[in-house]
C-alpha cells in the first residue's frame, strides 16, 4: 500500500490524521470520526481516531527530535520504520502480544495500528496496585519467542545477518548507551536526582567495581548481536488488563544482547516493589521469578522444536545460553534500577511517592539494589530476588 | 576513479589484465608489459603484471564460485569490495603492514594493488625453516591497531555501526561458520582426514565437552561484533621477509570477535611447530608469545592514547578486555588446529611431511593440542604454549 500523497515529512494535525484514516478505509464509509492527540509527546505524536461506536485506530508519528531535552536533540525518523518492522517481525511468532500494524508510511514516519485503549499501561496499573495475573507469563512467552526466532539458533545465519543490517538503529541505541549505561555512573549533566541522594550518588561514582560491571554490560550492549530485542521493555511499554498483554513501542529495537529486555522488565517490577509497603511487594517478586521461569521453559521448548543450529543437541549448551542470559539480565537490571533513580528518565513509581521521607528511602534503597545486582550477577538466582530486596533495605 | 568500460562481470584474461594496467597509467607509456596468472585458483584469479625492469602490480579478481569444492559453491563477488575496503580501512592505522590499493572495480570484482612478489608467503618460508625475526612484532602491532581503531573504544558507536553494516559478509562468514566451527566436530562430508586418524576423530566427535566449547566459540563468531577483523589470518595470508610483513587477502573481513585473528595466527604457528623436530620448535613458541605481548602492549598504548570511551579510565577494564581476548584466542586457536588437521582445508605444514609415520604422529598430536586448547581456555597463558605442546605430545 502506498497511499501517501506526501513526498516530504511534516507533522500531522488531528485533521490530517482523520483524513489518513478515511483514505485507508479503516472505518465505514459514512462514519463520523473524532480524533485526539494522546501522546506523552516526548518523541512521537499519537493520534487516537474513533468512530461513533468508539471503534478506533492509532496513528503514531515520529517527531524529528526528542522533546524531553528540547528540540535540540535530533532523532532519526527512521525509528518509525524500525518500530513497524519490529512489530511485524514479532507478529510472526507472537501476534497475540503486539498491536496489529495496518499501514506504514516511511516519508511521514507514520505507523497506523490497532487501538489498545481498552487496556491500561502496566506501569500506571501497577502504581494503582492493580494485579495482572498473566503479565509475567505473557512477557516470558513474548521474549522467548521473539528472541529465539530471530537468533542464529532458529535462522539461517545469512538471513539473520540481513536482519541485523535492517535493524541497525544507531540513534536510538545511542540514547541507551548514554542514558542507561554511561551518564548515571559519572557526574554528567543529563543526570537528575534529589539533593538527599547526593552522598549516595557520589559514592556510586567513586565505586570502581560498580563502574567496571557497568562498562562490561555497555560493551555487551554495543557488540553482542544475539537477537532482535525490543530495546525499551519497561512497564510503560506494555498495555495490559487481567487477560491480555500487548507490547508496544519497539522503536529502540535492534540486534542486541538476549538478556537486555528481561533485565529491563524485571528491574521495573522491582522498582515498583520498592514504591510499595513491604507487605504488598511479594506479588512483584513472584512476577519477576515467573517471567524468568516462563521465558526459560518456553525458550527450551522452542530450542528443542525449531533449532536449525546443529550444536543445540550438545549437552550443556542450552544450560550455558540460559545461564549467561540470566546473569546478563541481572546486570542489565542493575543499570536500569540505577538510571531510573538518578539518570535523565525517571519513573512515576518512585517520583510519585508523595511523602518525601518515604520517597527518598525508596530511592536510597534502589541505589543499593542496583549496586547489589551489578556486583552479584553470578550469584543472584531468580528465586532470591526478594532476598536481595531485603538485604539491601 | 571509474575507468571500467564493463557493465557486467566476466573473468579477466591475461590480455585484459594488461589492458587494465595500461588504462590505469600504472606503468611508463612505452613500457612492454608481461602478465602471468599466479593465483592458487581456489577463489580468485591473480594476475602479476610486470614491465621490463620487473616493476609490477597485482590485479586480483574474485571468481563467482569456490573452485575448492567445484563450481557448484557460488560465492558473492561482493567479497572483492570487502577485501579492498578492508585493506583501505587497515591502511588508515597501519599502512606499513598491508599492500597499497591502487584501484577497485566493483562490477569486475577487481582490486589492483601493490606487487609484493619480492616477499614470500610466510607459511612457505616457515616450512622451509626460514626465520622471520620481525613477524610476531609486526602481526602484534597490526592486530592491535586494526582491532582497536575499528572498535567502540576508538570510534563513535554510530560511526562503528555504519562500518558493521558496510562489512556485513554473510557468504564468507558462512565458510568459516561451517568449515572452522561446525563440520570438523561432526561426521560431515566436507571433512578430510587420513585413515590412521579415524579412531581419534571419532573420539573427538563423541566428546561433548569439546563440542560444547566449539559451540560457545561459534556463537561468539556469529554474534560478537567487537571490531573489524581480518577473518582468515593464517600464515598463508602473510607475505614476509626478514624486515617486512604484509597482511593480504582480507576477503573474510567482517565485524567479529577481537580474539579470532590472534587465535588463527597463533594456531598456525603451533601447527608449523608440530611439523618440525622437537629441537627446532622453540622459535615458534617464542613468536606466538611475542605476538601476544606486542599485541597487548600496543593495544594498551592505543587505549591510553586514543580512547573515546569514557569507561576506558576505569580500573580493571583494560585487563578484562585483554584477558577475555586472550582466552577467546586460545579457544579459536583450538578450532583452527583441529580443522586444519581433519577438516576440508588442510595446510602444507602437516600434509607435506613425507614420512607417513611422522606425519600421522604430528596430526595425532595436533588433535590432542586442539582439544587441550579448547578445554583449557581459562588456564593457558601465553608463556606456557610450549608446555601445552609437550604435555599433549
Amino acid at each position: 500500500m502506498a497511499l501517501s500523497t506526501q513526498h516530504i515529512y511534516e507533522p500531522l494535525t488531528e485533521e490530517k490524521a482523520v483524513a489518513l484514516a478515511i483514505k485507508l478505509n479503516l472505518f465505514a464509509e459514512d462514519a463520523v470520526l473524532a480524533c485526539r492527540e494522546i501522546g506523552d509527546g516526548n518523541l512521537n505524536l499519537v493520534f487516537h481516531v474513533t468512530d461513533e461506536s468508539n471503534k478506533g485506530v492509532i496513528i503514531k508519528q515520529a517527531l524529528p527530535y526528542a522533546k524531553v531535552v528540547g528540540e535540540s536533540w535530533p532523532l532519526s525518523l527512521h525509528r518509525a520504520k524500525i518500530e513497524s518492522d519490529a512489530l511485524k517481525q514479532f507478529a510472526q511468532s507472537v501476534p497475540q502480544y503486539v498491536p496489529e500494524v495496518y499501514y506504514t508510511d516511511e516519508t511521514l514516519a507514520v505507523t497506523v495500528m490497532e487501538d489498545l485503549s481498552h487496556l491500561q499501561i502496566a506501569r500506571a496499573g501497577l502504581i494503582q496496585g492493580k494485579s495482572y495475573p498473566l503479565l509475567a507469563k505473557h512477557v516470558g512467552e513474548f521474549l522467548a519467542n521473539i528472541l529465539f526466532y530471530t537468533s542464529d539458533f532458529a535462522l539461517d545465519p545469512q538471513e539473520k545477518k540481513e536482519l541485523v543490517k535492517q535493524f541497525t538503529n544507531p540513534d536510538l541505541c545511542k540514547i541507551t548507551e548514554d542514558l542507561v549505561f554511561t551518564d548515571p555512573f559519572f557526574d554528567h549533566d543529563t543526570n537528575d536526582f534529589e539533593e538527599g541522594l547526593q552522598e549516595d550518588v557520589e559514592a556510586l561514582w567513586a565505586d570502581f567495581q560498580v563502574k567496571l560491571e557497568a562498562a562490561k554490560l555497555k560493551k555487551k550492549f554495543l557488540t553482542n548481536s544475539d537477537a532482535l530485542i525490543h530495546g525499551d521493555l519497561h512497564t510503560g511499554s506494555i498495555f495490559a488488563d487481567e487477560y491480555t498483554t500487548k507490547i508496544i513501542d519497539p522503536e529502540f529495537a535492534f540486534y542486541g544482547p538476549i538478556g537486555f529486555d528481561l533485565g529491563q522488565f524485571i528491574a521495573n517490577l522491582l522498582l515498583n516493589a520498592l514504591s510499595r509497603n513491604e507487605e504488598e511487594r511479594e506479588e512483584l517478586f513472584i512476577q519477576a521469578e515467573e517471567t524468568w521461569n516462563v521465558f526459560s521453559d518456553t525458550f527450551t521448548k522452542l530450542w528443542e522444536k525449531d533449532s536449525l543450529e546443529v550444536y543445540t543437541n550438545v549437552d550443556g549448551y542450552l544450560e550455558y545460553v540460559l545461564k549467561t542470559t540470566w546473569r546478563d539480565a541481572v546486570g542489565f537490571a542493575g543499570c536500569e534500577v540505577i538510571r531510573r533513580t538518578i539518570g535523565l528518565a525517571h519513573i512515576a513509581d518512585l517520583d510519585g511517592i508523595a511523602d518525601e521521607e518515604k520517597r527518598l528511602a525508596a530511592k536510597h534503597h534502589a541505589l543499593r539494589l542496583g549496586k547489589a545486582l551489578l556486583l552479584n550477577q553470578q550469584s543472584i538466582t531468580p528465586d532470591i530476588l526478594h532476598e536481595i530486596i531485603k538485604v539491601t533495605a
Side-chain angles (χ1 to χ4, degrees), chain A:
Chain A
M1 257 201 296
L3 284 167
S4 173
T5 53
Q6 291 279 145
H7 298 296
I8 53 159
Y9 175 86
E10 62 169 13
L12 292 181
T13 59
E14 294 184 350
E15 291 68 35
K16 288 190 174 169
V18 167
L20 179 59
I22 292 170
K23 208 188 297 182
L24 292 171
N25 290 317
L26 294 172
F27 295 94
E29 247 178 62
D30 56 351
V32 177
L33 301 182
C35 180
R36 223 158 41 95
E37 204 285 307
I38 57 168
D40 65 355
N42 286 338
L43 307 167
N44 306 290
L45 297 172
V46 181
F47 298 95
H48 185 206
V49 183
T50 47
D51 66 12
E52 311 92 322
S53 71
N54 224 20
K55 184 197 153 203
V57 300
I58 292 295
I59 300 181
K60 179 171 175 180
Q61 182 180 41
L63 291 167
Y65 48 81
K67 267 204 230 157
V68 65
V69 288
E71 299 201 10
S72 58
W73 191 341
L75 262 191
S76 161
L77 293 172
H78 182 64
R79 69 187 192 278
K81 178 161 166 55
I82 294 271
E83 173 170 347
S84 65
D85 283 357
L87 288 173
K88 289 175 199 165
Q89 190 73 37
F90 298 159
Q92 288 183 22
S93 59
V94 277
Q96 69 273 35
Y97 298 138
V98 287
E100 190 180 346
V101 173
Y102 304 132
Y103 173 76
T104 59
D105 182 318
E106 263 192 81
T107 307
L108 282 176
V110 153
T111 307
V112 183
M113 62 187 134
E114 187 178 351
D115 176 15
L116 300 170
S117 56
H118 58 292
L119 306 174
Q120 187 181 23
I121 288 292
R123 184 186 305 287
L126 289 171
I127 290 172
Q128 292 163 3
K130 280 195 192 154
S131 287
Y132 295 111
L134 295 177
L135 180 65
K137 175 175 179 290
H138 290 171
V139 171
E141 287 179 358
F142 169 76
L143 287 177
N145 274 276
I146 67 158
L147 297 172
F148 177 78
Y149 282 115
T150 62
S151 76
D152 287 298
F153 302 123
L155 287 178
D156 177 286
Q158 293 172 285
E159 190 185 338
K160 182 246 188 173
K161 286 177 183 72
E162 283 308 312
L163 287 172
V164 173
K165 267 167 81 173
Q166 181 187 339
F167 285 100
T168 299
N169 198 358
D171 272 25
L172 284 280
C173 281
K174 183 167 169 54
I175 293 177
T176 308
E177 288 152 19
D178 289 351
L179 298 186
V180 177
F181 290 110
T182 312
D183 298 357
F185 298 93
F186 295 86
D187 185 1
H188 198 282
D189 57 13
T190 61
N191 291 325
D192 173 19
F193 52 85
E194 305 192 33
E195 233 182 272
L197 295 175
Q198 185 76 34
E199 208 174 307
D200 278 22
V201 171
E202 283 178 8
L204 189 85
W205 292 340
D207 190 324
F208 283 88
Q209 288 214 284
V210 164
K211 287 168 109 150
L212 179 57
E213 294 309 318
K216 293 181 196 172
L217 290 156
K218 181 180 180 186
K219 184 174 184 298
K220 283 178 188 170
F221 189 83
L222 284 164
T223 63
N224 283 28
S225 55
D226 292 332
L228 182 64
I229 70 174
H230 179 284
D232 193 30
L233 192 61
H234 56 86
T235 46
S237 296
I238 302 172
F239 269 118
D241 68 12
E242 212 178 326
Y243 312 105
T244 314
T245 306
K246 296 277 187 182
I247 315 292
I248 61 166
D249 288 355
E251 58 198 338
F252 285 76
F254 78 110
Y255 263 81
I258 202 173
F260 184 74
D261 289 340
L262 276 161
Q264 282 211 316
F265 178 66
I266 288 172
N268 279 273
L269 293 179
L270 298 181
L271 284 164
N272 184 269
L274 292 189
S275 76
R276 299 182 178 201
N277 294 324
E278 252 185 82
E279 59 279 12
E280 292 160 350
R281 290 176 179 172
E282 192 59 21
E283 186 177 346
L284 279 306
F285 306 139
I286 293 171
Q287 296 254 25
E289 187 180 348
E290 197 192 341
T291 304
W292 171 257
N293 290 340
V294 171
F295 169 82
S296 167
D297 290 350
T298 311
F299 195 89
T300 300
K301 274 178 209 139
L302 302 178
W303 176 285
E304 285 163 357
K305 186 167 77 78
D306 280 339
S307 274
L308 288 185
E309 167 58 67
V310 61
Y311 277 112
T312 53
N313 292 318
V314 171
D315 277 358
Y317 191 29
L318 174 64
E319 290 68 23
Y320 166 79
V321 169
L322 289 176
K323 194 178 160 189
T324 52
T325 300
W326 172 257
R327 183 202 62 201
D328 291 351
V330 172
F332 290 129
C335 293
E336 175 73 0
V337 165
I338 286 170
R339 75 102 170 197
R340 291 297 194 181
T341 311
I342 63 173
L344 179 71
H346 285 212
I347 48 172
D349 313 56
L350 294 185
D351 279 7
I353 303 172
D355 182 289
E356 189 185 346
E357 201 179 320
K358 276 192 185 168
R359 191 178 65 246
L360 264 178
K363 291 187 175 185
H364 279 296
H365 192 171
L367 288 181
R368 289 189 297 271
L369 170 64
K371 180 177 160 178
L373 292 169
L374 281 171
L375 297 184
N376 300 285
Q377 294 165 57
Q378 305 284 353
S379 57
I380 293 177
T381 48
D383 57 317
I384 63 162
L385 287 171
H386 61 287
E387 291 300 326
I388 305 302
I389 299 280
K390 268 187 205 154
V391 298
T392 54

